[in-house]
Amino acid sequence: MSTEFVPVIGDPEPSPPPSGPRPRATVRDIPAYVPGRPPAPRAGVTTYKLSSNENPNGPLPGVLEAAVEAAGRMNRYPDMGCTELYAALGARLDVPTDHLAAGTGSVAVLYHLLQAYCETGDEVVYAWRSFEAYPIAVSVTGATSVQVPLTADGRHDLDAMAAAVTDRTKVVVVCSPNNPTGPAVGRAELEAFLDRMPPHVLVVLDEAYREFVRAADPFDGVELHRSRPTVVAMRTFAKAYGLAGLRVGYLVAHPEVAAAVRTCALPFGVSSVAQAAAVASLERESELLERVEGIVGERGRVVEALRAQGHTPPDAQGNFVWLPLGERTADFAATAERAGVMVRPFAGEGVRVSIGEPAGNDVLLGVTRDFAALGR
């Protein structure tokens, strides 16, 4: 079947249809991942990037030095086996190193896991809205996404997710705290959900923001995996550890699962610099957790102020807050940008705002105050 190209007046002449190889239809239809935009420099205006859930703190003492030292060996390939990193993680988490698989961020680890277990005709169940990389990662494998709507307060509907599991389901992803809405899944409700999962389904617990959780009944994915062979705990050094620019994440799973993920991983994917910085960060975890407490305290201040202004953010358990603004989303994002604050809008739904420097959070609260007062 041929495709007719109809130019629009004023548009440049369209390119002819490609005559060479074309990507798979599933790849052509994949939406592009949309990162949080950085602020544009503006004379006389201090700007803040609160759009990417980054840690606002710089590297911990000793971490930068370890990274620089590793960079001095950039003429050599990194350790493909991540030997020191796996040893450090194994000691920290009390797991055998053959339960570990690393990648360039936890999202890469998820890609590898889906590539290992999913193909055309399979299904992957996850809540929606959730991390926007999920549908992209699923589509790359040729599998089908089964998106289960969140509850009205931004939580996973675990009963509905369990009901969505079929014989075709290969993987279920639980994002806790949920990105971008913020609530975390409790341990009791998660265990009840896991009890309902058939043995052919892997359950991936995406714990990218677990260090920020202060809920009454938190779960620990690594602990849960010990007695449940189909549970996979997925974590990252990008958020609490402040290594977003180096891209290193990992999963903890039973040996056969971890081995399958490592098989699909890009050779030499995790750089020497990232491995060295991750190991150094684990050695300085007590200092890191002090910084995390500071972010959690700032989160509490921001949420309390938002609610006093009349906003209704869901329970925030990550390093971000969610404002369900619906059709006012684009207007709010533009207003915030004019004030010097970049947020992450989701058209027609709401905005996710990272907890950043106190000064940046104050600018945000000025925008939300004015926005509420105008009744927009």
Side-chain angles (χ1 to χ4, degrees):
M1 182 176 66
S2 64
T3 302
E4 181 182 1
F5 286 81
V6 181
V8 177
I9 295 175
D11 285 351
E13 191 69 21
S15 301
S19 58
R22 303 186 70 184
R24 291 182 291 128
T26 54
V27 173
R28 293 198 305 270
D29 296 338
I30 292 174
Y33 180 85
V34 180
R37 285 199 300 126
R42 293 166 56 190
V45 177
T46 301
T47 57
Y48 301 92
K49 186 186 178 190
L50 305 183
S51 55
S52 295
N53 291 351
E54 296 156 331
N55 191 319
N57 300 300
L60 285 166
V63 175
L64 180 59
E65 290 78 2
V68 169
E69 194 275 332
R73 302 188 300 276
M74 67 175 66
N75 58 306
R76 304 295 182 185
Y77 283 109
D79 174 13
M80 184 171 159
C82 299
T83 308
E84 289 187 29
L85 176 58
Y86 286 164
L89 283 170
R92 169 64 183 82
L93 302 172
D94 190 24
V95 297
T97 56
D98 64 351
H99 287 227
L100 298 166
T104 52
S106 57
V107 66
V109 176
L110 178 64
Y111 269 65
H112 303 328
L113 181 141
L114 295 178
Q115 289 164 358
Y117 283 92
C118 298
E119 57 190 347
T120 301
D122 294 332
E123 294 178 345
V124 179
V125 175
Y126 52 89
W128 196 254
R129 174 169 291 276
S130 193
F131 183 32
E132 67 178 300
Y134 294 160
I136 300 172
V138 174
S139 295
V140 166
T141 70
T144 300
S145 287
V146 178
Q147 298 179 343
V148 179
L150 296 168
T151 63
D153 56 354
R155 297 180 178 277
H156 279 54
D157 188 339
L158 293 180
D159 286 338
M161 290 178 67
V165 172
T166 70
D167 291 341
R168 295 186 298 277
T169 306
K170 286 293 185 70
V171 176
V172 174
V173 183
V174 176
C175 183
S176 181
N178 186 55
N179 174 20
T181 59
V185 173
R187 181 185 177 104
E189 62 177 334
L190 177 61
E191 290 193 309
F193 172 78
L194 293 174
D195 288 342
R196 299 173 63 182
M197 289 298 100
H200 70 274
V201 174
L202 281 177
V203 180
V204 176
L205 306 177
D206 186 345
E207 298 183 277
Y209 302 93
R210 70 177 307 273
E211 292 87 357
F212 302 100
V213 174
R214 297 297 181 271
D217 184 30
F219 71 81
D220 182 328
V222 173
E223 288 304 312
L224 289 172
H225 111 282
R226 299 185 196 279
S227 59
R228 296 179 182 266
T230 58
V231 167
V232 177
M234 193 169 68
R235 298 180 177 178
T236 182
F237 284 91
K239 308 303 181 184
Y241 288 83
L243 302 184
L246 293 181
R247 311 307 300 127
V248 54
Y250 64 95
L251 62 70
V252 183
H254 280 252
E256 62 277 10
V257 177
V261 174
R262 292 194 301 269
T263 297
C264 292
L266 181 71
F268 306 108
V270 184
S271 72
S272 300
V273 175
Q275 292 184 46
V279 170
S281 295
L282 287 170
E283 293 170 350
R284 293 157 178 82
E285 200 166 51
S286 60
E287 301 166 66
L288 173 136
L289 293 177
E290 289 180 11
R291 291 184 168 189
V292 168
E293 282 301 324
I295 294 171
V296 169
E298 196 54 14
R299 179 186 72 195
R301 181 179 78 89
V302 169
V303 169
E304 182 179 358
L306 288 171
R307 290 178 176 159
Q309 293 172 359
H311 294 281
T312 57
D315 182 31
Q317 293 293 330
N319 66 336
F320 54 89
V321 296
W322 171 255
L323 294 173
L325 296 169
E327 295 305 316
R328 300 177 297 161
T329 294
D331 191 11
F332 179 88
T335 302
E337 183 172 1
R338 286 193 294 271
V341 173
M342 298 302 299
V343 300
R344 177 66 174 89
F346 296 82
E349 298 181 59
V351 297
R352 187 196 68 197
V353 188
S354 309
I355 301 299
E357 303 90 334
N361 300 332
D362 287 340
V363 174
L364 168 75
L365 291 174
V367 174
T368 56
R369 180 195 62 232
D370 295 343
F371 202 76
L374 290 172
R376 295 185 179 175

Short mmCIF file of all heavy atoms in Angstrom, two decimals, residues 126-188:
data_model
loop_
_atom_site.label_atom_id
_atom_site.label_comp_id
_atom_site.label_asym_id
_atom_site.label_seq_id
_atom_site.Cartn_x
_atom_site.Cartn_y
_atom_site.Cartn_z
N TYR A 126 1.25 -2.97 34.54
CA TYR A 126 1.75 -1.95 35.45
C TYR A 126 0.69 -0.89 35.65
O TYR A 126 -0.26 -0.77 34.86
CB TYR A 126 3.07 -1.33 34.95
CG TYR A 126 3.02 -0.81 33.54
CD1 TYR A 126 2.63 0.50 33.26
CD2 TYR A 126 3.39 -1.63 32.46
CE1 TYR A 126 2.60 0.99 31.97
CE2 TYR A 126 3.36 -1.15 31.16
CZ TYR A 126 2.97 0.16 30.91
OH TYR A 126 2.93 0.64 29.62
N ALA A 127 0.83 -0.11 36.71
CA ALA A 127 -0.12 0.98 36.98
C ALA A 127 0.12 2.12 36.01
O ALA A 127 1.21 2.28 35.45
CB ALA A 127 0.06 1.46 38.42
N TRP A 128 -0.92 2.95 35.83
CA TRP A 128 -0.78 4.11 34.96
C TRP A 128 -1.70 5.22 35.45
O TRP A 128 -2.86 4.96 35.76
CB TRP A 128 -1.12 3.75 33.52
CG TRP A 128 -0.64 4.80 32.58
CD1 TRP A 128 -1.38 5.73 31.91
CD2 TRP A 128 0.74 5.06 32.21
NE1 TRP A 128 -0.57 6.54 31.14
CE2 TRP A 128 0.74 6.15 31.32
CE3 TRP A 128 1.96 4.47 32.57
CZ2 TRP A 128 1.90 6.67 30.77
CZ3 TRP A 128 3.12 4.99 32.03
CH2 TRP A 128 3.09 6.07 31.14
N ARG A 129 -1.16 6.44 35.66
CA ARG A 129 0.14 6.85 35.19
C ARG A 129 1.23 6.41 36.14
O ARG A 129 1.10 6.45 37.35
CB ARG A 129 0.17 8.38 35.02
CG ARG A 129 1.55 8.90 34.65
CD ARG A 129 1.54 10.32 34.24
NE ARG A 129 0.88 10.50 32.97
CZ ARG A 129 1.48 10.32 31.79
NH1 ARG A 129 2.74 9.94 31.75
NH2 ARG A 129 0.82 10.52 30.69
N SER A 130 2.37 6.01 35.51
CA SER A 130 3.55 5.67 36.29
C SER A 130 4.76 6.10 35.46
O SER A 130 4.64 6.98 34.59
CB SER A 130 3.56 4.17 36.61
OG SER A 130 4.52 3.87 37.61
N PHE A 131 5.90 5.51 35.70
CA PHE A 131 7.13 5.93 35.03
C PHE A 131 6.97 5.77 33.51
O PHE A 131 6.65 4.69 33.01
CB PHE A 131 8.29 5.08 35.54
CG PHE A 131 9.64 5.44 35.00
CD1 PHE A 131 9.96 6.75 34.66
CD2 PHE A 131 10.62 4.47 34.85
CE1 PHE A 131 11.21 7.08 34.17
CE2 PHE A 131 11.88 4.79 34.37
CZ PHE A 131 12.17 6.09 34.03
N GLU A 132 7.19 6.86 32.78
CA GLU A 132 6.87 6.86 31.36
C GLU A 132 7.81 6.00 30.52
O GLU A 132 7.54 5.76 29.33
CB GLU A 132 6.83 8.28 30.81
CG GLU A 132 8.13 9.01 30.78
CD GLU A 132 7.96 10.40 30.17
OE1 GLU A 132 7.54 10.50 29.01
OE2 GLU A 132 8.23 11.36 30.89
N ALA A 133 8.89 5.49 31.09
CA ALA A 133 9.74 4.58 30.34
C ALA A 133 9.14 3.18 30.23
O ALA A 133 9.55 2.39 29.36
CB ALA A 133 11.12 4.48 30.99
N TYR A 134 8.17 2.85 31.11
CA TYR A 134 7.60 1.50 31.07
C TYR A 134 7.01 1.14 29.71
O TYR A 134 7.35 0.09 29.14
CB TYR A 134 6.55 1.33 32.17
CG TYR A 134 7.06 1.39 33.60
CD1 TYR A 134 6.19 1.66 34.64
CD2 TYR A 134 8.40 1.18 33.90
CE1 TYR A 134 6.63 1.70 35.96
CE2 TYR A 134 8.87 1.24 35.20
CZ TYR A 134 7.97 1.51 36.24
OH TYR A 134 8.41 1.57 37.54
N PRO A 135 6.08 1.93 29.16
CA PRO A 135 5.52 1.53 27.87
C PRO A 135 6.55 1.46 26.75
O PRO A 135 6.42 0.65 25.84
CB PRO A 135 4.46 2.60 27.59
CG PRO A 135 4.78 3.74 28.49
CD PRO A 135 5.43 3.16 29.68
N ILE A 136 7.58 2.29 26.84
CA ILE A 136 8.64 2.25 25.82
C ILE A 136 9.41 0.94 25.93
O ILE A 136 9.63 0.24 24.93
CB ILE A 136 9.58 3.45 25.99
CG1 ILE A 136 8.82 4.77 25.84
CG2 ILE A 136 10.72 3.38 24.98
CD1 ILE A 136 9.64 5.99 26.19
N ALA A 137 9.80 0.58 27.15
CA ALA A 137 10.58 -0.65 27.35
C ALA A 137 9.79 -1.88 26.94
O ALA A 137 10.34 -2.83 26.37
CB ALA A 137 11.00 -0.75 28.82
N VAL A 138 8.50 -1.88 27.23
CA VAL A 138 7.66 -3.02 26.85
C VAL A 138 7.54 -3.11 25.34
O VAL A 138 7.68 -4.19 24.74
CB VAL A 138 6.26 -2.91 27.50
CG1 VAL A 138 5.34 -4.01 26.98
CG2 VAL A 138 6.38 -3.00 29.02
N SER A 139 7.28 -1.99 24.68
CA SER A 139 7.08 -2.00 23.24
C SER A 139 8.31 -2.47 22.48
O SER A 139 8.20 -3.12 21.43
CB SER A 139 6.68 -0.60 22.76
OG SER A 139 5.43 -0.22 23.29
N VAL A 140 9.50 -2.16 22.97
CA VAL A 140 10.73 -2.58 22.30
C VAL A 140 10.79 -4.09 22.16
O VAL A 140 11.30 -4.62 21.18
CB VAL A 140 11.95 -2.04 23.07
CG1 VAL A 140 13.23 -2.71 22.60
CG2 VAL A 140 12.07 -0.53 22.87
N THR A 141 10.24 -4.81 23.13
CA THR A 141 10.29 -6.28 23.09
C THR A 141 9.22 -6.86 22.18
O THR A 141 9.27 -8.05 21.86
CB THR A 141 10.07 -6.87 24.50
OG1 THR A 141 8.72 -6.65 24.90
CG2 THR A 141 11.03 -6.25 25.50
N GLY A 142 8.24 -6.06 21.78
CA GLY A 142 7.12 -6.57 21.01
C GLY A 142 5.96 -7.02 21.88
O GLY A 142 4.90 -7.41 21.36
N ALA A 143 6.14 -6.99 23.20
CA ALA A 143 5.07 -7.37 24.12
C ALA A 143 4.04 -6.25 24.21
O ALA A 143 4.21 -5.16 23.65
CB ALA A 143 5.64 -7.69 25.50
N THR A 144 2.95 -6.51 24.93
CA THR A 144 1.84 -5.58 25.05
C THR A 144 1.75 -5.04 26.47
O THR A 144 1.81 -5.80 27.44
CB THR A 144 0.52 -6.26 24.69
OG1 THR A 144 0.60 -6.73 23.34
CG2 THR A 144 -0.66 -5.32 24.84
N SER A 145 1.59 -3.73 26.59
CA SER A 145 1.39 -3.10 27.90
C SER A 145 -0.07 -3.27 28.32
O SER A 145 -0.99 -3.04 27.53
CB SER A 145 1.72 -1.61 27.84
OG SER A 145 3.11 -1.40 27.76
N VAL A 146 -0.27 -3.62 29.58
CA VAL A 146 -1.59 -3.62 30.18
C VAL A 146 -1.54 -2.59 31.30
O VAL A 146 -0.95 -2.84 32.36
CB VAL A 146 -1.98 -5.00 30.72
CG1 VAL A 146 -3.35 -4.96 31.40
CG2 VAL A 146 -1.97 -6.03 29.60
N GLN A 147 -2.11 -1.42 31.06
CA GLN A 147 -2.02 -0.30 31.99
C GLN A 147 -3.27 -0.28 32.87
O GLN A 147 -4.38 -0.18 32.36
CB GLN A 147 -1.87 1.01 31.23
CG GLN A 147 -0.59 1.06 30.40
CD GLN A 147 -0.44 2.36 29.62
OE1 GLN A 147 -1.40 3.09 29.44
NE2 GLN A 147 0.76 2.64 29.16
N VAL A 148 -3.06 -0.35 34.17
CA VAL A 148 -4.16 -0.36 35.13
C VAL A 148 -4.24 1.01 35.79
O VAL A 148 -3.27 1.46 36.41
CB VAL A 148 -3.95 -1.45 36.20
CG1 VAL A 148 -5.09 -1.44 37.21
CG2 VAL A 148 -3.84 -2.82 35.53
N PRO A 149 -5.38 1.70 35.68
CA PRO A 149 -5.47 3.06 36.23
C PRO A 149 -5.19 3.12 37.73
O PRO A 149 -5.55 2.21 38.50
CB PRO A 149 -6.91 3.46 35.94
CG PRO A 149 -7.32 2.60 34.78
CD PRO A 149 -6.60 1.30 34.99
N LEU A 150 -4.53 4.20 38.14
CA LEU A 150 -4.33 4.47 39.55
C LEU A 150 -5.66 4.79 40.22
O LEU A 150 -6.65 5.10 39.56
CB LEU A 150 -3.38 5.66 39.72
CG LEU A 150 -1.94 5.51 39.21
CD1 LEU A 150 -1.27 6.87 39.21
CD2 LEU A 150 -1.16 4.52 40.05
N THR A 151 -5.68 4.73 41.53
CA THR A 151 -6.86 5.18 42.26
C THR A 151 -6.92 6.71 42.22
O THR A 151 -5.97 7.37 41.78
CB THR A 151 -6.81 4.71 43.73
OG1 THR A 151 -5.67 5.31 44.37
CG2 THR A 151 -6.67 3.19 43.82
N ALA A 152 -8.01 7.26 42.72
CA ALA A 152 -8.20 8.72 42.66
C ALA A 152 -7.13 9.47 43.43
O ALA A 152 -6.84 10.63 43.12
CB ALA A 152 -9.59 9.07 43.19
N ASP A 153 -6.53 8.83 44.43
CA ASP A 153 -5.49 9.50 45.21
C ASP A 153 -4.08 9.10 44.78
O ASP A 153 -3.13 9.23 45.54
CB ASP A 153 -5.68 9.25 46.71
CG ASP A 153 -5.71 7.76 47.07
OD1 ASP A 153 -5.70 6.92 46.15
OD2 ASP A 153 -5.73 7.45 48.28
N GLY A 154 -3.94 8.64 43.53
CA GLY A 154 -2.62 8.41 42.96
C GLY A 154 -1.93 7.13 43.38
O GLY A 154 -0.73 6.99 43.20
N ARG A 155 -2.68 6.16 43.92
CA ARG A 155 -2.10 4.92 44.42
C ARG A 155 -2.29 3.77 43.42
O ARG A 155 -3.19 3.80 42.59
CB ARG A 155 -2.74 4.53 45.76
CG ARG A 155 -2.49 5.54 46.85
CD ARG A 155 -3.14 5.13 48.18
NE ARG A 155 -2.83 6.09 49.21
CZ ARG A 155 -1.72 6.11 49.93
NH1 ARG A 155 -0.80 5.18 49.72
NH2 ARG A 155 -1.51 7.04 50.83
N HIS A 156 -1.46 2.74 43.57
CA HIS A 156 -1.66 1.52 42.82
C HIS A 156 -2.96 0.85 43.26
O HIS A 156 -3.23 0.72 44.45
CB HIS A 156 -0.51 0.54 43.08
CG HIS A 156 0.73 0.82 42.29
ND1 HIS A 156 1.35 2.04 42.28
CD2 HIS A 156 1.45 0.03 41.45
CE1 HIS A 156 2.42 1.98 41.50
NE2 HIS A 156 2.49 0.77 40.97
N ASP A 157 -3.75 0.41 42.30
CA ASP A 157 -4.94 -0.39 42.57
C ASP A 157 -4.51 -1.85 42.43
O ASP A 157 -4.64 -2.45 41.36
CB ASP A 157 -6.05 -0.03 41.59
CG ASP A 157 -7.37 -0.70 41.92
OD1 ASP A 157 -7.36 -1.72 42.64
OD2 ASP A 157 -8.42 -0.22 41.46
N LEU A 158 -4.01 -2.43 43.51
CA LEU A 158 -3.44 -3.76 43.43
C LEU A 158 -4.47 -4.83 43.13
O LEU A 158 -4.18 -5.83 42.46
CB LEU A 158 -2.69 -4.09 44.73
CG LEU A 158 -1.44 -3.25 44.99
CD1 LEU A 158 -0.79 -3.65 46.31
CD2 LEU A 158 -0.44 -3.37 43.85
N ASP A 159 -5.70 -4.64 43.58
CA ASP A 159 -6.75 -5.61 43.25
C ASP A 159 -7.00 -5.62 41.74
O ASP A 159 -7.13 -6.69 41.13
CB ASP A 159 -8.05 -5.26 43.99
CG ASP A 159 -7.99 -5.61 45.47
OD1 ASP A 159 -7.15 -6.47 45.84
OD2 ASP A 159 -8.76 -5.03 46.25
N ALA A 160 -7.09 -4.44 41.16
CA ALA A 160 -7.31 -4.36 39.71
C ALA A 160 -6.10 -4.90 38.94
O ALA A 160 -6.26 -5.53 37.89
CB ALA A 160 -7.61 -2.93 39.31
N MET A 161 -4.90 -4.66 39.45
CA MET A 161 -3.71 -5.18 38.79
C MET A 161 -3.69 -6.70 38.84
O MET A 161 -3.35 -7.36 37.85
CB MET A 161 -2.45 -4.60 39.43
CG MET A 161 -2.26 -3.12 39.13
SD MET A 161 -0.78 -2.41 39.93
CE MET A 161 0.54 -3.25 39.05
N ALA A 162 -4.05 -7.27 39.98
CA ALA A 162 -4.10 -8.73 40.09
C ALA A 162 -5.14 -9.30 39.12
O ALA A 162 -4.91 -10.34 38.48
CB ALA A 162 -4.42 -9.14 41.51
N ALA A 163 -6.27 -8.62 38.99
CA ALA A 163 -7.32 -9.08 38.09
C ALA A 163 -6.90 -8.99 36.63
O ALA A 163 -7.43 -9.70 35.77
CB ALA A 163 -8.60 -8.27 38.32
N ALA A 164 -5.94 -8.11 36.33
CA ALA A 164 -5.48 -7.93 34.95
C ALA A 164 -4.48 -8.99 34.51
O ALA A 164 -4.15 -9.08 33.32
CB ALA A 164 -4.86 -6.54 34.79
N VAL A 165 -3.97 -9.79 35.44
CA VAL A 165 -2.99 -10.82 35.11
C VAL A 165 -3.68 -11.99 34.42
O VAL A 165 -4.73 -12.48 34.87
CB VAL A 165 -2.27 -11.29 36.38
CG1 VAL A 165 -1.39 -12.51 36.10
CG2 VAL A 165 -1.42 -10.16 36.96
N THR A 166 -3.09 -12.42 33.30
CA THR A 166 -3.64 -13.54 32.53
C THR A 166 -2.54 -14.57 32.28
O THR A 166 -1.39 -14.40 32.73
CB THR A 166 -4.20 -13.06 31.18
OG1 THR A 166 -3.10 -12.66 30.34
CG2 THR A 166 -5.15 -11.87 31.38
N ASP A 167 -2.88 -15.58 31.50
CA ASP A 167 -1.88 -16.57 31.12
C ASP A 167 -0.79 -15.96 30.24
O ASP A 167 0.31 -16.53 30.13
CB ASP A 167 -2.54 -17.73 30.36
CG ASP A 167 -3.44 -18.57 31.24
OD1 ASP A 167 -3.29 -18.50 32.48
OD2 ASP A 167 -4.31 -19.29 30.70
N ARG A 168 -1.09 -14.82 29.62
CA ARG A 168 -0.10 -14.17 28.75
C ARG A 168 0.83 -13.22 29.52
O ARG A 168 1.81 -12.73 28.97
CB ARG A 168 -0.80 -13.40 27.64
CG ARG A 168 -1.58 -14.29 26.66
CD ARG A 168 -2.12 -13.49 25.49
NE ARG A 168 -3.07 -12.47 25.92
CZ ARG A 168 -4.36 -12.69 26.18
NH1 ARG A 168 -4.85 -13.91 26.06
NH2 ARG A 168 -5.16 -11.71 26.55
N THR A 169 0.51 -12.96 30.77
CA THR A 169 1.32 -12.02 31.56
C THR A 169 2.66 -12.65 31.90
O THR A 169 2.72 -13.75 32.45
CB THR A 169 0.60 -11.63 32.85
OG1 THR A 169 -0.70 -11.13 32.55
CG2 THR A 169 1.38 -10.56 33.60
N LYS A 170 3.72 -11.94 31.60
CA LYS A 170 5.07 -12.40 31.95
C LYS A 170 5.66 -11.60 33.11
O LYS A 170 6.40 -12.14 33.93
CB LYS A 170 6.00 -12.30 30.74
CG LYS A 170 5.77 -13.37 29.69
CD LYS A 170 6.13 -14.75 30.21
CE LYS A 170 6.03 -15.80 29.13
NZ LYS A 170 7.08 -15.67 28.11
N VAL A 171 5.35 -10.29 33.15
CA VAL A 171 5.95 -9.41 34.15
C VAL A 171 4.88 -8.45 34.67
O VAL A 171 4.04 -7.97 33.90
CB VAL A 171 7.13 -8.60 33.55
CG1 VAL A 171 7.69 -7.61 34.58
CG2 VAL A 171 8.23 -9.53 33.05
N VAL A 172 4.93 -8.19 35.98
CA VAL A 172 4.15 -7.13 36.60
C VAL A 172 5.13 -6.17 37.24
O VAL A 172 6.07 -6.60 37.93
CB VAL A 172 3.17 -7.67 37.66
CG1 VAL A 172 2.47 -6.52 38.38
CG2 VAL A 172 2.13 -8.58 37.01
N VAL A 173 4.95 -4.87 37.02
CA VAL A 173 5.84 -3.87 37.61
C VAL A 173 5.06 -3.08 38.65
O VAL A 173 3.99 -2.56 38.36
CB VAL A 173 6.41 -2.92 36.54
CG1 VAL A 173 7.39 -1.93 37.19
CG2 VAL A 173 7.11 -3.70 35.43
N VAL A 174 5.62 -2.99 39.85
CA VAL A 174 5.05 -2.17 40.93
C VAL A 174 6.05 -1.06 41.23
O VAL A 174 7.17 -1.33 41.69
CB VAL A 174 4.77 -3.00 42.19
CG1 VAL A 174 4.26 -2.11 43.33
CG2 VAL A 174 3.77 -4.11 41.89
N CYS A 175 5.67 0.17 40.97
CA CYS A 175 6.55 1.32 41.18
C CYS A 175 6.20 1.95 42.53
O CYS A 175 5.13 2.52 42.69
CB CYS A 175 6.36 2.33 40.06
SG CYS A 175 7.44 3.77 40.13
N SER A 176 7.11 1.86 43.49
CA SER A 176 6.81 2.35 44.84
C SER A 176 8.05 2.99 45.46
O SER A 176 9.07 2.31 45.63
CB SER A 176 6.33 1.20 45.72
OG SER A 176 6.01 1.65 47.01
N PRO A 177 7.95 4.30 45.78
CA PRO A 177 6.86 5.23 45.54
C PRO A 177 6.60 5.40 44.05
O PRO A 177 7.52 5.31 43.24
CB PRO A 177 7.34 6.54 46.16
CG PRO A 177 8.43 6.17 47.11
CD PRO A 177 9.08 4.97 46.50
N ASN A 178 5.33 5.67 43.72
CA ASN A 178 4.99 5.77 42.32
C ASN A 178 5.45 7.09 41.73
O ASN A 178 5.18 8.16 42.26
CB ASN A 178 3.48 5.64 42.12
CG ASN A 178 3.11 5.59 40.65
OD1 ASN A 178 3.61 4.75 39.92
ND2 ASN A 178 2.25 6.49 40.22
N ASN A 179 6.16 6.99 40.62
CA ASN A 179 6.60 8.15 39.86
C ASN A 179 5.62 8.32 38.69
O ASN A 179 5.50 7.40 37.88
CB ASN A 179 8.01 7.92 39.33
CG ASN A 179 8.50 9.00 38.40
OD1 ASN A 179 8.00 10.11 38.38
ND2 ASN A 179 9.50 8.66 37.59
N PRO A 180 4.85 9.42 38.63
CA PRO A 180 5.10 10.72 39.25
C PRO A 180 4.20 11.11 40.41
O PRO A 180 4.33 12.22 40.92
CB PRO A 180 4.83 11.67 38.08
CG PRO A 180 3.66 11.02 37.38
CD PRO A 180 3.90 9.54 37.50
N THR A 181 3.28 10.25 40.86
CA THR A 181 2.26 10.72 41.80
C THR A 181 2.71 10.69 43.26
O THR A 181 2.20 11.46 44.07
CB THR A 181 0.96 9.92 41.66
OG1 THR A 181 1.23 8.52 41.87
CG2 THR A 181 0.36 10.12 40.28
N GLY A 182 3.62 9.79 43.65
CA GLY A 182 4.22 9.86 44.97
C GLY A 182 3.87 8.82 46.01
O GLY A 182 4.72 8.49 46.84
N PRO A 183 2.63 8.27 46.09
CA PRO A 183 2.33 7.32 47.16
C PRO A 183 3.14 6.03 47.04
O PRO A 183 3.51 5.60 45.94
CB PRO A 183 0.83 7.04 46.97
CG PRO A 183 0.31 8.26 46.30
CD PRO A 183 1.41 8.70 45.38
N ALA A 184 3.38 5.41 48.19
CA ALA A 184 4.10 4.14 48.25
C ALA A 184 3.11 3.01 48.57
O ALA A 184 2.08 3.22 49.20
CB ALA A 184 5.19 4.19 49.31
N VAL A 185 3.46 1.81 48.15
CA VAL A 185 2.68 0.61 48.45
C VAL A 185 3.11 0.09 49.81
O VAL A 185 4.32 0.03 50.10
CB VAL A 185 2.89 -0.45 47.36
CG1 VAL A 185 2.23 -1.76 47.74
CG2 VAL A 185 2.37 0.06 46.01
N GLY A 186 2.16 -0.29 50.65
CA GLY A 186 2.48 -0.84 51.97
C GLY A 186 2.88 -2.30 51.90
O GLY A 186 2.52 -3.02 50.96
N ARG A 187 3.63 -2.74 52.90
CA ARG A 187 4.11 -4.12 52.90
C ARG A 187 2.97 -5.13 52.95
O ARG A 187 2.95 -6.11 52.19
CB ARG A 187 5.05 -4.34 54.09
CG ARG A 187 5.62 -5.77 54.12
CD ARG A 187 6.46 -6.06 55.34
NE ARG A 187 6.90 -7.45 55.33
CZ ARG A 187 8.12 -7.87 55.02
NH1 ARG A 187 9.04 -6.98 54.67
NH2 ARG A 187 8.43 -9.15 55.03
N ALA A 188 1.99 -4.92 53.83
CA ALA A 188 0.91 -5.89 53.99
C ALA A 188 0.12 -6.03 52.69
O ALA A 188 -0.19 -7.15 52.25
CB ALA A 188 -0.01 -5.47 55.14
#
